[in-house]
Amino acid sequence: MALSTEQQTKMWAMLNQTRGQIGLTAYKDYIFGILFYKYLSEKATHWLEGESRGDTWENIYSKDSARALHRMRMKLGYAIQPNDFFADWKKAIDEDKFNIGMMTDAFGHFNQQVAFEAKGDFEGIFDGMRFDSADLGANAQARASVMISMIELLSSPEFDLSGDDTVSGIYEYLVAQFATVLASDMGQYYTPKEISDVMARILTYGREDEESFSIYDPTVGSGSLLLTTASYMKNSHKRGMIKYFGQEKDATPYRLSRMNLMMHGVEYNDININHADTLESDWPDGVVDGKDTPRMFDAVMANPPYSAYWNNKDREDDSRWREYGIAPRTKADYGFLLHCLYHLEDNGRMAIILPHGVLFRGAAESRIRKSLIDKHQIEAVIGFPDKMFLNTPISVCVLILRKNRIESDILFVDASKGFEKLKKQNKLRSEDVEKIVDTVINRKEIEKYSHVATLDEIKENDHNLNIPRYVDTFEEEEPIDLVALSAEIVALNSEIEKVEGEFLTLLDGLAITPDTMDIIEATKAVFR
């Protein structure tokens, strides 16, 4: 069940009321961590209800703890001991027996009970929470008070996790809210849903019914691009049908992405998120027995940091860039693009969000761009409105690429004019999304909106892909009717004279005193 606007507003208001003096940057790690642990607790409880045959978990555990924990680990990828459930914390609070050590012990036990196969999915996932941190309070009592407020908040009806749609809805809403409020901290990890939808629908077009599909995001952030792409695959709800791969160098989004995937119902053995710098460390299984054997994916999508600095020294032999050239040290954009292309299946498709500068900048980027064009690998270039993103006001473009295209033309779409203007941001409407997707999939030519440029056209422009060179959006102003304008000016002057006369008449009617004489005479002088 999707969250209503009223639910969302109340949820965020309650969260702000309960966080006390803790800054949102620190608070987010705890609220996400505890919400995720509540989800895991309730998932384990639900499994136990079907396995226990009326017996209690405490009794099953007491008979053979090792066997009981093993059974839960094999099914869920983790195990939770009796008295370590989220509900146990709430019960202790209600009975005035809670202490912060209960949470420390529970997370310690949890880390010990993760299945070997699930280590990569759960490793360090709760590291953002430090129960001895001064962020929570000056002493144990103050810190316990903050934890109690969070547990009670997440126990309220607004945070009822019954149903996968509700769980994912709550998580997505909180990620979006924190990204909005903490744009400088989280904005770079959050892609507007409308742009995600455009990319996902293009990437999965014609392959929605496939039995298996692999998707990869090398700058995975919160995991939203992976989830949105998977949502357009008809078998996304079936275990093992969709395989999710991602890489993220920053610890916070690395944790959030794994939580996000699991809280959307993705099984741990379908998740493979790696904690590393994509440009520094290629996907882990790139070299086997000294031979380069990169893993390839059916769809690759990315929203990398724009024009980031990177270490581009001694990269000439790296197979990701060897055929094209090395991106400049101060602008890693093409480094990310070529990484994505390198890991794309021969029949796959990729989409990447980048600043418009990649379309026309010179030097090394020009050479890379020319090589991509000459290999026919750029399929479409889509320009979006400015102020779409939380962390930057600039407009961005999405490049769609395929490895082995026969056609050499490129579709250009200028979608920068169609949007809804909000207070601080611009947002694509559903009709805007539909128009972009339909135009790209069907490669439509629409006046002042899209154009399919031939390779000769592109060569004539010296391989410059700046969208205005191919899509003319100039709108001529309507000619001015000088006769009508003159008549309007005469009428306005007449009206002004009439109003001024009426005002002077009113002044003549005022009683003149020594105190007001100078003011009235000065006012009349202005209108004479």
Side-chain angles (χ1 to χ4, degrees):
M1 181 179 67
L3 301 180
S4 67
T5 302
E6 183 180 354
Q7 279 179 295
Q8 294 175 352
T9 302
K10 187 173 183 181
M11 190 182 294
W12 188 248
M14 291 169 64
L15 185 147
N16 278 301
Q17 289 169 6
T18 57
R19 70 182 176 90
Q21 300 302 310
I22 302 175
L24 278 173
T25 299
Y27 188 79
K28 75 176 187 301
D29 289 327
Y30 294 94
I31 203 71
F32 280 122
I34 298 172
L35 177 65
F36 183 56
Y37 191 78
K38 179 188 179 185
Y39 165 74
L40 296 177
S41 295
E42 295 189 2
K43 184 176 181 180
T45 300
H46 180 72
W47 176 77
L48 286 167
E49 288 171 353
E51 291 285 317
S52 62
R53 298 184 179 88
D55 204 352
T56 65
W57 177 229
E58 290 79 2
N59 193 35
I60 296 171
Y61 182 84
S62 66
K63 292 175 183 176
D64 189 340
S65 61
R67 183 172 182 273
L69 291 171
H70 176 75
R71 284 175 60 198
M72 186 183 286
R73 277 199 307 272
M74 291 304 97
K75 177 63 179 178
L76 304 179
Y78 63 90
I80 299 178
Q81 297 179 190
N83 302 316
D84 282 351
F85 286 73
F86 179 88
D88 294 318
W89 300 342
K90 181 62 170 66
K91 181 181 178 183
I93 291 170
D94 294 340
E95 296 174 355
D96 200 22
K97 296 179 181 177
F98 177 84
N99 64 77
I100 203 164
M102 294 177 66
M103 300 183 75
T104 304
D105 291 343
F107 285 116
H109 296 155
F110 179 91
N111 289 335
Q112 294 169 3
Q113 295 301 332
V114 173
F116 177 79
E117 299 82 3
K119 286 288 185 185
D121 299 302
F122 289 103
E123 187 174 11
I125 205 162
F126 297 114
D127 283 356
M129 296 185 289
R130 296 283 187 270
F131 297 109
D132 59 351
S133 172
D135 286 333
L136 297 179
N139 52 53
Q141 184 178 356
R143 293 192 282 272
S145 177
V146 173
M147 288 298 102
I148 288 171
S149 69
M150 289 191 192
I151 293 166
E152 290 187 325
L153 167 68
L154 296 178
S155 301
S156 65
E158 284 74 19
F159 287 89
D160 176 17
L161 301 185
S162 57
D164 286 344
D165 288 345
T166 306
V167 174
S168 58
I170 289 172
Y171 196 85
E172 282 181 5
Y173 170 69
L174 290 181
V175 168
Q177 280 298 103
F178 275 103
T180 300
V181 176
L182 301 172
S184 60
D185 293 316
M186 287 185 65
Q188 62 182 308
Y189 310 124
Y190 184 75
T191 305
K193 187 177 185 307
E194 296 76 24
I195 294 184
S196 297
D197 280 335
V198 168
M199 296 168 69
R201 290 175 61 180
I202 294 170
L203 289 175
T204 58
Y205 176 71
R207 306 188 67 176
E208 301 92 333
D209 294 322
E210 292 191 9
E211 287 296 315
S212 63
F213 200 70
S214 60
I215 53 180
Y216 172 51
D217 184 343
T219 55
V220 73
S222 67
S224 63
L225 278 175
L226 288 176
L227 286 164
T228 304
T229 302
S231 71
Y232 288 96
M233 298 297 294
K234 292 182 180 178
N235 291 311
S236 62
H237 63 288
K238 295 181 181 179
R239 186 172 182 173
M241 294 297 186
I242 309 295
K243 294 294 185 182
Y244 301 76
F245 295 84
Q247 190 152 276
E248 177 57 54
K249 72 173 183 176
D250 292 340
T252 295
Y254 171 58
R255 292 192 294 268
L256 289 178
S257 60
R258 290 174 292 157
M259 292 181 191
N260 200 5
L261 289 169
M262 283 186 263
M263 291 186 77
H264 275 77
V266 181
E267 296 291 339
Y268 73 89
N269 43 15
D270 290 333
I271 300 171
N272 196 338
I273 306 296
N274 191 43
H275 188 197
D277 184 325
T278 287
L279 298 183
E280 290 293 330
S281 307
D282 195 4
W283 188 255
D285 52 358
V287 177
V288 178
D289 296 329
K291 184 180 179 182
D292 186 29
T293 54
R295 185 183 290 262
M296 301 301 183
F297 306 97
D298 294 309
V300 182
M301 67 294 305
N303 179 21
Y306 308 142
S307 301
Y309 280 71
W310 72 302
N311 178 13
N312 70 345
K313 288 186 178 180
D314 302 322
R315 302 285 186 165
E316 290 77 14
D317 291 331
D318 192 311
S319 50
R320 292 175 287 175
W321 304 302
R322 190 165 49 219
E323 292 182 31
Y324 300 85
I326 310 301
R329 182 178 65 88
T330 58
K331 296 178 179 66
D333 304 308
Y334 274 111
F336 286 109
L337 184 150
L338 294 174
H339 171 91
C340 292
L341 185 63
Y342 179 72
H343 286 285
L344 187 64
E345 285 280 11
D346 286 345
N347 64 338
R349 182 178 268 138
M350 64 163 278
I352 185 169
I353 305 171
L354 292 172
H356 280 267
V358 300
L359 303 177
F360 54 80
R361 290 191 298 240
E365 291 184 304
S366 176
R367 292 189 290 274
I368 295 171
R369 188 169 59 245
K370 180 180 184 301
S371 183
L372 289 165
I373 293 168
D374 290 343
K375 291 175 183 286
H376 310 165
Q377 291 172 323
I378 300 177
E379 186 174 21
V381 178
I382 310 166
F384 287 88
D386 60 4
K387 298 181 181 177
M388 290 284 296
F389 287 76
L390 297 168
N391 62 318
T392 177
I394 67 169
S395 59
V396 299
C397 61
V398 167
L399 275 69
I400 310 296
L401 292 92
R402 299 177 73 178
K403 261 187 178 172
N404 299 310
R405 286 183 71 224
I406 302 300
E407 303 84 0
S408 61
D409 55 21
I410 298 177
L411 170 69
F412 291 87
V413 179
D414 186 342
S416 63
K417 305 294 191 295
F419 59 88
E420 176 187 3
K421 190 173 182 61
L422 304 179
K423 284 185 179 179
K424 294 182 179 180
Q425 282 182 268
N426 294 326
K427 179 182 179 182
L428 296 180
R429 300 159 298 185
S430 59
E431 59 264 35
D432 301 321
V433 172
E434 288 294 333
K435 186 176 181 180
I436 296 169
V437 173
D438 180 54
T439 302
V440 173
I441 287 175
N442 295 300
R443 300 188 73 76
K444 288 184 175 179
E445 291 229 19
I446 302 173
E447 187 178 2
K448 299 188 181 300
Y449 185 77
S450 64
H451 174 62
V452 179
T454 65
L455 183 58
D456 287 339
E457 280 182 81
I458 295 163
K459 286 181 177 179
E460 286 175 12
N461 280 300
D462 198 23
H463 296 87
N464 185 315
L465 300 182
N466 201 17
I467 297 172
R469 289 187 176 231
Y470 305 95
V471 182
D472 180 10
T473 60
F474 178 75
E475 296 283 352
E476 288 189 9
E477 295 183 6
E478 291 187 11
I480 298 173
D481 187 335
L482 294 178
V483 174
L485 180 62
S486 298
E488 187 178 342
I489 292 171
V490 170
L492 284 172
N493 286 334
S494 176
E495 182 66 22
I496 291 169
E497 290 179 6
K498 178 183 175 184
V499 172
E500 286 178 352
E502 292 172 351
F503 182 63
L504 289 171
T505 302
L506 287 173
L507 287 178
D508 288 336
L510 292 175
I512 299 176
T513 67
D515 292 331
T516 63
M517 182 181 297
D518 291 342
I519 296 173
I520 291 174
E521 288 302 319
T523 303
K524 287 182 177 180
V526 171
F527 290 96
R528 288 193 180 106

